[in-house]
Amino acid sequence: MVHVPMGPDEVYDDETAAELEGVLLVGDDFGGYCEAYNTTKDWEFGFVDDCGVFETHAPEFESFVGFLASRFGAQPPKE
C-alpha cells in the first residue's frame, strides 16, 4: 500500500521510532516491511525491515517511482 508520508512514531513503538528519527514511511507491504526515505542521508530510498531497521535499496532502486515501476513492469521516467 502506498500512503502519505508518515513518521515512524505513527507505526512503531517509542524505542523503535527513536532509532528511525529522520525516516519517512511511504509504503507498507503489511508483512512487516515499510518502504521509506531516510532524510538524514540525502533522502536515501530504502525500507524498514520487520526488526525496525532502515536498509537502503541502492543501487537497485534510486527512487520510490523506480521501485514501483520495477514491481509493475513499467519503465521509470527519464530524469
Side-chain angles (χ1 to χ4, degrees), residues 18-67:
E19 292 291 321
L20 294 169
E21 185 174 339
V23 171
L24 287 178
L25 308 172
V26 295
D28 191 339
D29 73 353
F30 298 104
Y33 289 79
C34 291
E35 301 306 323
Y37 282 96
N38 188 336
T39 65
T40 65
K41 293 186 177 180
D42 198 27
W43 289 83
E44 181 178 43
F45 179 58
F47 62 95
V48 178
D49 66 17
D50 57 353
C51 293
V53 176
F54 179 86
E55 297 185 36
T56 184
H57 275 306
E60 186 178 0
F61 304 113
E62 294 295 324
S63 70
F64 191 51
V65 173
F67 169 78

